[in-house]
Structure formats: C-alpha cells, structure tokens
Amino acid sequence: MDVAGSRSVRAPSLTDAIIPLAALVLLIGGSILLFGLDALDGPIQTAMVLSAMVAALIAMKNGHSWVEIQQAGQSAMGSITSALFILLAVGGLIGVWNMSGTIPTLVYYGIQVLAPSWYFAATALICGVVAMSIGSSWTTAGTIGVGLVGIAVMLGVSPAITAGAVISGAYLGDKLSPLSETTILTSQMVGVDTHEHIKRQAWTSVPAFVIAFILFLILGFIQGPAQDPVSTDSELAELGRLYNITPLNLLPLALLVVLSARKVPASLALMSSALFAGITGALLQPQVVAEFSGVNGNPVLAAVKGTWQAMSTGFVKASGIGDIDSLLSRGGMDSMLLTIWLIIGAVTFGMLLEAFGLIDRLINPLVAAARSRGRLYLTVFGCAFGLNVVAGDQYIALVLPSRVFRAEFAKRGLAPTNLSRLAADSGTVTSPLVPWNSCGAFMAAALGVPTLLYLPFAFFNILSPLLSVIYGITGFKVEKTAPSSELQPHGKTDPDQPAGPEKE
C-alpha cells in the first residue's frame, strides 16, 4: 500500500504491539505509585495521552501518515460523543437535584426505611430493579445510586461497599434488560435474538447476583454498629430544616423513569429531569433557591440563575454539619471534566491500537494458542477484559471479541449464544472495574467513590465473568451446533476432540 505517493505501510510486529502497552503500564503504574488515589486528578489522564502519543509514533514508524492518525482520533471522539453528553447531563442533574430537594428527600426517607444490617443487600436489589426497568446502568448509578451512597454516609455504613452494591445491581439490570444498549449491541454483533441472549445471560447473571446478595447481607451484619442514632436524628432534623421535605420533591425522579422507559435518549432524559427539577425547586424550595442564587424578591430570576449555576458548577450548601455539606455540595457539569479528560485519552489510545492493527497483532496468537474449549473461553475473557484496560471503553471490549471469535466458535461447533453471554460477562460487566475505563471513570465521578475502593465489593461484576469461564471449562450450559465447514485458522481442527468435531 502506498501512502501519500511515497510511503509504504508495514504490518505491525509483535514488538510494535507490546511497546504502547508497556508504556501504558509503566506510566499508569508510576502515576499511582507517586500520587496514590490522587492520580485520577490528572496524572493518569496525562499518562493516557502520552500512551496515545506512543501508539501514534509506532503507527508513523510503520508508514502511516499523520492524517490517518488524526482520522483515527476523530473516530475515537465520535464513538464517545453520546457518553460525554451523558456525563455532562449527570453532573448537571446532581447539582439541580440537590438544590431542588430531590436527593435530600431520597436520603431523608431512605434513612428512616433502610436498616444498616441489610442496607447493602437492599441497595443492590433496588438498583437491579431500577436498571432492569430503564435499561441503563449509568442512569441508575447517577441518580438512585447517588442517593443511596448519600444515605450510607448518614447511616455510618461504608460508602465503598454501598458503591459496590450500586454497581452490582446496576449491571445486573443492564445485562438482563431488553432496553439496554449493550445487551442489544452484543446480541446483534454475535447474530442472536436479543431475548434468547438475555435468557442465556440469566444462567450466569442470576447465580452471580444471588451470591453477591448473600455477601452483601453478611457484610451488613458483620460491619458493626452504625452511626449513633442521636447523630442520625440530628442530620434528619437538619435536612428537614433546610428543605421542605415532601414526596413532590421526587417528581423529577419519576419523570426520569418515565422518559427512560419510553426509550428517550439518556442525555435528553437526564437534562429534561434536571430542568424540571429547577422548576419544582423554585416552587417547593424557594428559600433554598433564593439563598443559592443570591436573588431575592424575584423568584423567576432566582430559579433561572440557580438552576443555571447548579448545572454549571454544582450546588453548594454550608450547614455546619460535615456529612450534610458533603452530600449536598456536589454536582455541576464542571465536576465531570476530569472524567471526560480521562475518557478522551483512554479511548483515543484504544482507537489507535485498533485502527493500526496493534490489537489484532496481539489477539491472533492468543486465538491460535486456545487449543481447548476452556482455553478459548479464558482467551475471550482475557481479550475483553484486556480491551477494557487498554482501550478504555466497554464498546470496544464488546465489539472486537464478538467480531474476532464469532467464526472460531462456529468452527468448533459452539452456539453463538455461548459467545454472546461470554462477551457480555467479560466486556460489559468488567468495565466499571478499571479506573480509566469510561464506565469506571463515570461510576467513580457520579458516586464520589474511587474505583479502586469500590472494586473489591463489586461482587456481581467479579462473579459473573468467573461463572461464565467456569461454564466454558466444565461444559455446563454450553450449547452445541453443527461445526462450520470452514477450515480452522492456522490449519487446526477442533481441539476438544482427538479427531473430528466435538460430539453432543
């Protein structure tokens, strides 16, 4: 191939593919070593950008032009446009919901209803039901999840465990909802009916969630006594003093659920709910809106300025009670800018690896080495999770393994539903476990809990891929089809049998 009339393009070597990954590991490891959890406040973002530059230099060494690199970067930006608008909308929503009393009302009622001993399990169940209803893990975590983490702080239970429970429930619902974008995408990529795909996913998702639910119950009972009831009572009294607590404050949440169920695009649904919350806040919390906006005597102007400011830079409240202030003083689109910076760097790096053949150069030897069904399942999991790490986006982690391994599963007589379940378990579910992945960055930003802190407690997200791989190794719930007549790659036959295709 001739580029710009003079430059020939070379296929990447294995060393070419390893160098950007080595740079990523070195730079991210160094940032965490030097800055700890503060690494997500800029150092890791810088590491992702530098890693993308290394990948670009490798591409140029192999004969690709800077124009091609720019086009790959533009493709990366195009692939995350929707995610960026959702992030900004969630930031604005949190700010306005705090001003309007929606989140304080959720916390006020939640403290009185949810007992510390079963709080984590209830959190996972609530988020699972909500996510299954609306088909979005991000929307669930950015709304109900925020309130549940706030309640955890008031009750004196672990916000990190609560965040793990929120994510466990949110991703259970996301996987099993016919409204979920990732569920639909996975089934389409592998070529199976969406409802059939959901049925097969239930074989790993339901047992994984049941185990996670039991673990959350155990943690709730062994964590120890929660916050002093007197302290909780004082916080409830302070919320009641600051806000007019009424079920009407939950109308923006109800609107969001309705819009999501009607499949309104997530960013539009979130922004509509935020603007509606500005209206309800002006009617139900006029004193809060007037104080925050600094406008007295003109409620319309106060509502416009307060809503605008809360969406832009977040809501701020100084009550004198630390837990109350940390709960309320949050949100704003600007609070998501670090997360957006991280996602841009990560996805650009991943797109460069994909566009210039570096990922294929790494994956092809792994496919050739997967000589048994168990190794094949482990390879798919490793590729999907690895792409979540190096590409920084769950869609890449879903699409590439589904595309690369589809023919391989067919040649080995493995039904496509096996791959769709494994790809979802490995790609979708593990994405929030990586701090610089778009999902991990979003969850940390929305819930206010660093990814590395909630990771050990995201039980569902750990158990679901584990069960999927175990099924592949043992053959449990592995469906067979007639093997494809196409030749195996690299001249290999079905490795699960000494000779010929695997039998039923």
Side-chain angles (χ1 to χ4, degrees), residues 129-349:
V129 171
V130 172
M132 204 174 301
S133 301
I134 65 177
S136 173
S137 56
W138 282 33
T139 302
T140 301
T143 53
I144 297 292
V146 171
L148 289 167
V149 172
I151 295 169
V153 173
M154 300 299 174
L155 289 175
V157 300
S158 169
I161 300 177
T162 304
V166 167
I167 292 165
S168 292
Y171 275 85
L172 167 76
D174 192 300
K175 279 189 68 187
L176 298 183
S177 173
L179 303 177
S180 167
E181 290 181 359
T182 54
T183 296
I184 295 170
L185 175 64
T186 306
S187 61
Q188 288 178 341
M189 287 300 303
V190 181
V192 300
D193 178 76
T194 300
H195 293 284
E196 291 299 315
H197 168 62
I198 291 173
K199 289 178 185 177
R200 302 318 191 278
Q201 283 197 116
W203 281 106
T204 52
S205 298
V206 173
F209 186 76
V210 169
I211 297 171
F213 186 84
I214 293 171
L215 292 174
F216 286 128
L217 278 176
I218 293 171
L219 283 176
F221 281 107
I222 69 174
Q223 181 179 339
Q227 198 172 97
D228 189 329
V230 174
S231 175
T232 302
D233 290 342
S234 67
E235 288 164 348
L236 284 172
E238 183 65 12
L239 282 174
R241 185 185 70 81
L242 294 173
Y243 292 89
N244 173 30
I245 301 296
T246 167
L248 294 176
N249 292 332
L250 302 179
L251 287 175
L253 173 60
L255 175 64
L256 179 62
V257 171
V258 170
L259 293 177
S260 299
R262 294 180 66 86
K263 302 193 73 172
V264 173
S267 55
L268 292 179
L270 290 163
M271 289 297 290
S272 297
S273 179
L275 293 172
F276 182 58
I279 296 172
T280 61
L283 297 175
L284 300 172
Q285 317 293 339
Q287 76 287 354
V288 175
V289 175
E291 180 183 350
F292 174 64
S293 65
V295 177
N296 294 303
N298 190 333
V300 174
L301 180 59
V304 171
K305 183 179 178 182
T307 301
W308 202 326
Q309 185 174 342
M311 291 181 69
S312 303
T313 57
F315 181 71
V316 178
K317 191 70 177 178
S319 67
I321 299 179
D323 287 344
I324 294 287
D325 293 343
S326 62
L327 168 70
L328 300 179
S329 300
R330 290 197 60 207
M333 293 186 186
D334 73 337
S335 69
M336 296 294 177
L337 296 182
L338 276 174
T339 302
I340 290 173
W341 177 15
L342 179 61
I343 292 173
I344 288 174
V347 175
T348 301
F349 176 67

Side-chain angles (χ1 to χ4, degrees), residues 3 9 14 73 94 145 168 172 207 237 240 264-265 279 286 295 317 324 376 404 407 412 417 431 460 465:
V3 179
V9 175
L14 186 58
I94 292 172
S168 292
L172 167 76
V264 173
I279 296 172
V295 177
K317 191 70 177 178
I324 294 287
L376 180 63
V404 169
R412 300 193 188 197
T417 50
S431 57
F460 174 80

Side-chain angles (χ1 to χ4, degrees), residues 7-31:
R7 304 177 67 180
S8 61
V9 175
R10 297 182 298 277
S13 66
L14 186 58
T15 301
D16 290 338
I18 291 174
I19 287 175
L21 299 185
L24 178 71
V25 171
L26 179 64
L27 290 168
I28 289 181
S31 65

Side-chain angles (χ1 to χ4, degrees), residues 71-114:
Q71 289 172 344
Q74 290 167 2
S75 297
M77 294 299 100
S79 71
I80 59 173
T81 300
S82 176
L84 299 186
F85 275 109
I86 292 173
L87 273 167
L88 293 172
V90 166
L93 180 90
I94 292 172
V96 181
W97 273 21
N98 270 324
M99 182 188 75
S100 68
T102 302
I103 290 177
T105 299
L106 281 172
V107 172
Y108 186 89
Y109 290 143
I111 290 175
Q112 300 177 73
V113 173
L114 297 172

